[in-house]
């Protein structure tokens, strides 16, 4: 083996070892708090501005934010959510643009929601890593705390809907590394990360009453079709929602 080939192989082994330390892929992706139902027409839901992050995945797997891609994704996902609202079965209020201290408050709770959603994936949805306190059949007991009601002051809402998407598209270097890893050491390396979380929180208690979360979501969120697919996946199983296909944004604009 040449020195160059040996160096490439060593690099592949090191990076694959890092990748192997990542949490295992979840086996489940959705859950509802036991006993919770959301009758159609009975609730007012505050839809928070989605937290959207889009960028590239470097050769070594590091995330590199891309402002243009993020702006494109925000526009497309906002439009897809607007198209999907007709299927919710309940009154949906879009949260106004936050200003001042409210901006930090909402950002903090969106970050907390993301942490809770990832914890649910790691310690409940993945059966092999399920915590002893989460093993009882039908159990789903997670909360953001009762103070979360502060994000909806004056809105008259019963629930808050959090939406979070994170996408890292594999760079050319990452794709080359993926090929080299397969050829030199025979190990598969993932190129690209596409995660999404959507959760409904009871504003009276802070309890997470429904969550749909997955680390391998579909749809290129930078396009109208891809964003519509992502939103459909995020809202799959939403309580009380009419399960109808989301109309592609391009088709809506053509009407």
């Amino acid at each position: 083996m040449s020195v160059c080939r040996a160096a490439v192989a060593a690099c592949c082994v090191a990076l694959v070892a890092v990748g192997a330390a990542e949490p295992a892929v979840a086996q489940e992706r959705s859950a509802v708090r036991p006993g919770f139902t959301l009758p159609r027409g009975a609730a007012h839901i505050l839809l928070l501005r989605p937290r959207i992050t889009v960028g590239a995945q470097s050769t070594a797997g590091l995330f590199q934010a891309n402002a243009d891609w993020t702006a494109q994704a925000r526009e497309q996902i906002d439009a897809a959510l607007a198209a999907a609202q007709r299927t919710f079965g309940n009154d949906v209020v879009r949260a106004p643009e936050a200003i001042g201290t409210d901006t930090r408050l909402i950002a903090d709770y969106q970050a907390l929601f993301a942490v809770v959603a990832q914890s649910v994936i790691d310690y409940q949805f993945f059966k092999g890593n399920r915590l002893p306190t989460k093993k009882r059949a039908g159990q789903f007991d997670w909360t953001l705390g009762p103070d979360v009601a502060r994000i909806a002051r004056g809105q008259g809402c019963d629930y808050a809907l959090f939406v979070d998407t994170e996408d890292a598209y594999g760079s050319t270097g990452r794709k080359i590394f993926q090929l080299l890893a397969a050829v030199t050491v025979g190990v598969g390396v993932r190129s690209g990360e596409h995660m999404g979380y959507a959760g409904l929180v009871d504003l009276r208690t802070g309890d997470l009453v429904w969550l749909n979360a997955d680390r391998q979501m579909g749809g290129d969120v930078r396009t109208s079709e891809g964003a519509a697919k992502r939103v459909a996946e995020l809202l799959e199983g939403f309580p009380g929602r009419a399960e109808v296909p989301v109309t592609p944004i391009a088709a809506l604009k053509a009407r």
Side-chain angles (χ1 to χ4, degrees):
M1 180 182 292
S2 67
V3 174
C4 180
R5 184 179 176 85
V8 170
C11 180
C12 288
V13 170
L15 290 177
V16 169
V18 172
E22 296 177 355
V25 176
Q27 295 179 348
E28 300 175 5
R29 57 174 292 174
S30 185
V32 178
R33 191 176 181 86
F36 173 74
T37 58
L38 188 63
R40 293 176 65 81
H44 298 284
I45 301 170
L46 180 68
L47 174 59
L48 296 172
R49 188 173 189 238
R51 195 175 78 153
I52 299 169
T53 307
V54 186
Q57 185 183 45
S58 71
T59 302
L62 301 178
F63 178 77
Q64 299 171 329
N66 187 302
D68 290 338
W69 290 356
T70 298
Q72 292 169 10
R74 179 166 297 285
E75 179 181 357
Q76 300 298 346
I77 288 179
D78 281 347
L81 280 170
Q85 281 183 220
R86 74 185 193 280
T87 71
F88 275 49
N90 285 281
D91 182 36
V92 178
V93 178
R94 288 221 168 196
E97 193 72 28
I99 57 174
T101 56
D102 287 343
T103 302
R104 177 60 182 271
L105 178 68
I106 292 176
D108 285 347
Y109 272 104
Q110 287 180 314
L112 176 60
F113 166 73
V115 171
V116 171
Q118 291 178 46
S119 296
V120 174
I121 290 177
D122 289 340
Y123 303 119
Q124 181 155 3
F125 284 178
F126 177 57
K127 295 180 181 179
N129 202 36
R130 188 168 290 171
L131 292 175
T133 55
K134 305 298 181 184
K135 289 184 177 180
R136 191 168 66 246
Q139 183 181 27
F140 186 71
D141 185 15
W142 300 84
T143 185
L144 272 64
D147 283 349
V148 70
R150 296 162 57 201
I151 67 175
R153 284 178 299 201
Q155 299 297 323
C157 292
D158 308 299
Y159 302 92
L161 177 59
F162 289 79
V163 175
D164 191 324
T165 67
E166 302 176 23
D167 290 87
Y169 294 91
S171 63
T172 300
R174 181 68 176 182
K175 292 174 182 176
I176 292 173
F177 167 65
Q178 182 183 36
L179 177 60
L180 288 174
V183 171
T184 59
V185 294
V187 176
V189 172
R190 190 165 51 204
S191 178
E193 302 282 347
H194 306 282
M195 301 181 287
Y197 320 103
L200 191 66
V201 174
D202 188 330
L203 290 172
R204 293 160 294 191
T205 63
D207 292 339
L208 183 61
V209 294
W210 168 80
L211 178 71
N212 192 31
D214 196 348
R215 287 199 177 101
Q216 295 188 37
M217 303 208 85
D220 185 338
V221 294
R222 299 167 297 184
T223 68
S224 59
E225 294 80 6
K229 179 179 180 180
R230 175 66 59 86
V231 167
E233 289 186 0
L234 286 167
L235 298 178
E236 185 177 352
F238 185 85
R241 178 172 178 255
E243 293 292 347
V244 298
V246 176
T247 303
I249 307 306
L252 289 173
K253 291 180 179 178
R255 291 180 181 175

